[in-house]
Amino acid sequence: QIMNLKPLLERTHLNPGKRTLGKVQNFRELLQALEERELPDAVTEALNLKIDALNEMRGTEKEYRKALVNTEYKILKFLEKEHKIVPKNHYQKTWMALGMAVFGIPIGVAMGSALGNMGFIGAGIGVGLAIGIAVGAGMDKKARDEGRQLEFEARI
């Protein structure tokens, strides 16, 4: 018998606004994507504890929205760290920033120094961005091919 994830309960008494409803929808999409995978019971139990904490939470709409986002983030981090399961475009988003910082700025400074015009730092950042996206896209494809990618894209 396979353990199931618990559902996220409705919070009609909070009279949630558009932003909160969007976060709730996003969280439900994550749960749906996780339901489609066969997760070990220990993982399902750990995730159910986080969902229970959300369902039992009392507080304002803003506090609930913040807890939703934090819980989603913790679930995604846990899955990545413990099981190498990642959402769609995870590596691309991560490497885009890394590419700009790690490759882009040094390339830009080198170009600026060589050409005597530090205005080329911006061009280097663009090159770094492209390198980062390429590296990340390759890692995302590998994760998909290995069956480690969720049918879910994080919008945190």
Side-chain angles (χ1 to χ4, degrees):
Q1 179 231 341
I2 299 171
M3 277 187 73
N4 288 331
L5 286 172
K6 294 184 178 177
L8 186 63
L9 300 178
E10 289 290 332
R11 290 296 182 102
T12 47
H13 69 279
L14 276 181
N15 192 15
K18 211 172 177 177
R19 282 177 60 200
T20 303
L21 288 173
K23 302 290 182 205
V24 168
Q25 180 59 36
N26 204 38
F27 195 83
R28 287 202 169 112
E29 286 172 19
L30 171 60
L31 294 181
Q32 180 64 44
L34 291 170
E35 255 330 309
E36 291 167 9
R37 297 186 76 89
E38 283 194 25
L39 298 169
D41 284 355
V43 174
T44 304
E45 265 179 58
L47 298 180
N48 278 337
L49 286 174
K50 293 179 187 329
I51 297 166
D52 281 341
L54 258 181
N55 283 336
E56 292 166 13
M57 189 199 152
R58 300 283 167 252
T60 65
E61 179 190 359
K62 188 177 179 183
E63 291 166 338
Y64 178 64
R65 185 171 59 235
K66 189 175 180 186
L68 257 176
V69 171
N70 284 341
T71 304
E72 182 179 323
Y73 177 78
K74 285 178 186 164
I75 287 173
L76 290 172
K77 277 287 163 227
F78 167 75
L79 290 171
E80 179 187 4
K81 198 173 159 200
E82 303 293 322
H83 303 282
K84 305 282 183 256
I85 296 172
V86 294
K88 284 182 185 172
N89 299 330
H90 169 75
Y91 292 114
Q92 192 171 327
K93 289 175 181 173
T94 305
W95 276 89
M96 184 169 64
L98 276 173
M100 286 190 295
V102 175
F103 302 113
I105 294 172
I107 289 171
V109 169
M111 283 169 58
S113 298
L115 300 170
N117 178 355
M118 290 317 265
F120 284 98
I121 287 180
I125 290 175
V127 171
L129 177 95
I131 292 171
I133 287 175
V135 169
M139 290 174 76
D140 279 327
K141 183 184 181 325
K142 184 174 185 243
R144 188 183 64 236
D145 293 347
E146 291 174 2
R148 296 185 292 111
Q149 193 175 62
L150 286 173
E151 279 302 311
F152 170 79
E153 186 165 352
R155 293 186 282 269
I156 298 177

